[in-house]
Amino acid sequence: MKNDVLKKSILIISLIIVLIGVISCISAADNVDSSEVTMLTLSKGGLLIHYPSNWGYSESTSNYSIMAISKLDSVDSSGVGQVNINFEKKPLEGEFYTYVNDTYKSMQGDSSYDLISSGGVMVGNVNAVEYIYTSNQDGVEKEHKAVWFEKGGQAYVLLYSAPPQDFEDNLYIFDYILSDIQIT
């Protein structure tokens, strides 16, 4: 008799788990955006990236920018993407790590920047340095994730920027690009 009760309990628990799984799948299917997002390719300045079609090529005001993309629904009335990724290539002056660290040391004296974290990461098979920080320029707050690496005497920086409320929601695109980037 104990075996029958145990078997019925296991059967009921199994049915509940299956029912929860089916409801979760139906709920997830209802939340899928029906518009198709395809992957696009952009190659410039020694970098090749793949990015989703709900992002687009954009202009950058940086003199060192080799390409930039912005989330299309974040472009404001003046045509500036508020959620963007900028790819820069700068002539390396001196030793790479000293050059990069000096860049952030100069920010420490500026109260409009706040360094959150820094450390070593990999971009493909290349050693890189990551900095996460916030900025407040003329009342406009942004959160940034910058990843620096060296190639051929050049310092590359990939900079993801977004308003704080949009930063985490779009960070996966930047992380995907970093994991998939080809350095030519």
Side-chain angles (χ1 to χ4, degrees):
M1 182 132 175
K2 282 185 177 182
N3 283 342
D4 288 339
V5 171
L6 183 61
K7 286 180 185 179
K8 286 181 184 180
S9 296
I10 291 174
L11 181 61
I12 290 171
I13 291 171
S14 297
L15 286 173
I16 289 172
I17 291 172
V18 169
L19 184 60
I20 289 171
V22 169
I23 290 171
S24 296
C25 288
I26 291 171
S27 175
D30 288 342
N31 290 330
V32 172
D33 186 1
S34 62
S35 65
E36 283 192 36
V37 174
T38 58
M39 294 306 284
L40 303 173
T41 302
L42 187 57
S43 178
K44 200 169 178 187
L47 302 177
L48 181 126
I49 64 164
H50 300 284
Y51 64 98
S53 59
N54 60 345
W55 286 62
Y57 187 79
S58 60
E59 295 299 320
S60 171
T61 57
S62 169
N63 293 336
Y64 299 103
S65 184
I66 54 176
M67 61 182 162
I69 59 174
S70 295
K71 188 170 182 190
L72 294 177
D73 66 4
S74 79
V75 177
D76 64 18
S77 60
S78 63
V80 176
Q82 298 304 305
V83 177
N84 59 59
I85 303 171
N86 190 30
F87 304 82
E88 296 183 6
K89 180 168 63 169
K90 300 178 179 186
L92 187 56
E93 301 167 9
E95 195 269 329
F96 173 72
Y97 291 102
T98 302
Y99 176 72
V100 173
N101 289 329
D102 285 350
T103 300
Y104 291 92
K105 281 181 187 172
S106 67
M107 290 171 61
Q108 290 175 349
D110 186 340
S111 63
S112 60
Y113 293 97
D114 186 25
L115 182 62
I116 296 171
S117 67
S118 64
V121 295
M122 296 293 290
V123 175
N125 60 351
V126 176
N127 288 321
V129 181
E130 173 186 276
Y131 287 85
I132 298 175
Y133 60 96
T134 59
S135 67
N136 188 330
Q137 299 289 318
D138 300 322
V140 177
E141 291 184 42
K142 292 252 181 148
E143 192 164 347
H144 311 273
K145 181 175 181 180
V147 175
W148 293 76
F149 62 90
E150 177 186 7
K151 170 98 166 110
Q154 300 287 310
Y156 287 80
V157 60
L158 286 57
L159 176 63
Y160 165 60
S161 299
Q165 68 272 14
D166 297 324
F167 186 82
E168 288 296 326
D169 291 343
N170 297 287
L171 182 59
Y172 74 99
I173 297 296
F174 182 70
D175 290 340
Y176 169 77
I177 289 171
L178 282 175
S179 72
D180 187 60
I181 196 168
Q182 294 175 27
I183 304 165
T184 58

